[in-house]
Amino acid sequence: MTLAQSSFGNGDFLLFMFEFFLFVIWFWLLIMIFSDLFRDHETSGWAKALWTILVIVLPFIGILLYLIVRGRGMTDRALKQQQAMKQQMDAQIRAAVGTGASPADQIAQAKSLLDTGAITQAEFEVLKSKALSS
């Protein structure tokens, strides 16, 4: 048995998995920090450059300092971005649904469908009553 075959036992695999887990967490923290740093419109370009250099040159100290100094703001900025995205999505849904049509517009649209033969007179009456009730 060679040295390479026998040295991967006695907890070495668990140590490898732990190191891999730490690497994944470290990489995830880097992504979160850089996305937060460049999402912040209130921070100047010089401050962003200094934080970037600190996180790249001294990665563990830089990450810990960033989380200590700017950690609370990370949550606020992420929440603001999520709210802005939700408002944008809601506006797109409203535009697609077309809920802004007035009852007269709805009746005119139903009348044009009736004139083209797409709906029957009974369906037109149902659509007209729904438009008038809303």
Side-chain angles (χ1 to χ4, degrees):
M1 188 180 286
T2 66
L3 182 63
Q5 290 174 338
S6 65
S7 67
F8 205 61
N10 299 330
D12 287 340
F13 181 72
L14 291 176
L15 181 62
F16 170 75
M17 292 301 292
F18 181 69
E19 290 170 353
F20 180 75
F21 175 74
L22 289 178
F23 176 74
V24 170
I25 294 295
W26 174 74
F27 196 70
W28 177 75
L29 283 171
L30 282 176
I31 291 171
M32 293 300 296
I33 285 173
F34 283 129
S35 66
D36 177 68
L37 183 61
F38 293 110
R39 177 188 307 135
D40 187 10
H41 299 294
E42 297 174 3
T43 304
S44 70
W46 288 105
K48 289 178 183 181
L50 291 174
W51 275 115
T52 302
I53 291 169
L54 180 65
V55 168
I56 290 174
V57 172
L58 301 170
F60 295 110
I61 294 173
I63 287 173
L64 289 175
L65 279 176
Y66 190 88
L67 292 175
I68 291 168
V69 173
R70 297 180 47 98
R72 183 171 302 217
M74 289 176 73
T75 305
D76 297 337
R77 285 183 290 279
L79 185 61
K80 285 179 187 176
Q81 182 185 20
Q82 288 176 355
Q83 289 172 345
M85 288 172 54
K86 183 181 182 322
Q87 289 173 352
Q88 183 181 11
M89 186 179 69
D90 289 346
Q92 289 176 344
I93 290 171
R94 276 190 227 101
V97 171
T99 57
S102 68
D105 293 336
Q106 292 175 3
I107 292 171
Q109 189 177 27
K111 178 67 173 155
S112 67
L113 289 173
L114 177 65
D115 293 341
T116 61
I119 60 172
T120 64
Q121 182 66 34
E123 292 170 329
F124 171 74
E125 293 300 328
V126 170
L127 291 173
K128 181 178 170 183
S129 65
K130 283 184 182 178
L132 291 174
S133 67
S134 61

